Amino acid sequence: MEKDSLIIVSGGMDSITLLYDRKDTIAFAVTFDYGSNHNAREIPFAQLHCQRLGIRHIVIPLAFMQQYFKSSLLEGADAIPDGHYANENMKSTVVPFRNGIMLAVAVGIAESNGLSRVLIANHGGDHAIYPDCRPEFISAIDTAAKAGTYVNVAIEAPYTNITKTDIARRGKSLGIDYSETWSCYKGTSVHCGTCGTCVERKEALRDAGIADPTEYLDATL
């Protein structure tokens, strides 16, 4: 199978699942360090899995986002709200146009390396609060990427219309050890267990029939 793809990989459940799901087509992986509370926890997992699979991996700093963008995701653990992922207060975690910026950079790297596809692991559960995870955004930026490159780089987001539980089931079939991923937005020494991403992680693993290997400060669901 031709290795014609670049993947944006964070080190979280979704992108690590996509990394293994499409490993036979992936030539290059990019992680963005944009100053989020949890980047330092995620990035080592992205590096670990790419090294394990023999996929070239780089980390690109986007420090300007922390400096100029407004989001609780960039303001420290205490700024992150607790509750369910779909709650209104989780909108504070939106980093404005984050995926647009990352995809634009990724498309440029892809074309520079003769690659024709960029993979991103947004999913259906993101739609409520993250505009740049929705199908209409993915479709629009795919059109822009194709129009703006000589090799017509395509954006592929195969998880856009499925749930995190569906992703976890896929990961289970691929044999992924989810203890080697990070979700918590607070980015403390262990998962908090109470922020929206921790709650979603617990639900997805439970509903996929996976014994949760995660260490939480609060393990109740």
Side-chain angles (χ1 to χ4, degrees):
M1 188 174 294
E2 183 183 2
K3 290 185 177 291
D4 61 354
S5 302
L6 178 149
I7 187 172
I8 297 174
V9 60
S10 67
M13 283 181 62
D14 309 325
S15 65
I16 294 301
T17 303
L18 184 58
L19 181 74
Y20 281 87
D21 206 355
R22 296 291 187 90
K23 62 182 174 60
D24 293 336
T25 72
I26 296 170
F28 206 131
V30 178
T31 301
F32 293 97
D33 185 352
Y34 57 97
S36 77
N37 304 329
H38 62 305
N39 270 157
R41 295 291 175 185
E42 284 186 314
I43 290 171
F45 287 125
Q47 293 169 325
L48 169 72
H49 290 287
C50 289
Q51 183 178 29
R52 186 175 290 166
L53 293 173
I55 293 171
R56 181 184 178 192
H57 175 255
I58 61 172
V59 178
I60 296 180
L62 297 175
F64 70 89
M65 294 177 71
Q66 185 180 31
Q67 185 175 359
Y68 297 114
F69 287 28
K70 176 68 174 177
S71 170
S72 62
L73 204 60
L74 307 174
E75 296 171 359
D78 292 343
I80 299 296
D82 289 330
H84 197 277
Y85 201 53
N87 291 352
E88 184 72 16
N89 64 357
M90 281 295 289
K91 286 185 178 179
S92 78
T93 66
V94 173
V95 179
F97 209 62
R98 178 187 64 178
N99 283 352
I101 293 164
M102 293 178 179
L103 283 165
V105 175
V107 167
I109 295 172
E111 182 162 46
S112 297
N113 286 272
L115 303 174
S116 59
R117 290 188 289 171
V118 170
L119 306 175
I120 187 170
N122 57 292
H123 64 83
D126 295 329
H127 297 175
I129 56 173
Y130 297 114
D132 58 359
C133 289
R134 295 171 184 162
E136 55 267 37
F137 170 78
I138 295 297
S139 176
I141 201 161
D142 172 58
T143 299
K146 287 173 179 171
T149 55
Y150 282 118
V151 297
N152 304 118
V153 176
I155 307 296
E156 293 191 7
Y159 298 161
T160 297
N161 293 309
I162 66 172
T163 68
K164 198 177 191 80
T165 297
D166 294 326
I167 293 171
R169 290 192 184 105
R170 180 61 181 155
K172 183 179 181 180
S173 72
L174 292 167
I176 295 172
D177 178 359
Y178 282 122
S179 70
E180 297 178 331
T181 63
W182 186 270
S183 298
C184 181
Y185 274 174
K186 295 186 181 181
T188 47
S189 59
V190 298
H191 284 70
C192 72
T194 54
C195 73
T197 49
C198 280
V199 171
E200 186 192 41
R201 179 186 179 97
K202 292 183 205 176
E203 291 178 342
L205 292 171
R206 179 198 65 195
D207 294 346
I210 299 171
D212 194 340
T214 314
E215 181 182 358
Y216 298 104
L217 287 175
D218 184 344
T220 58
L221 186 62

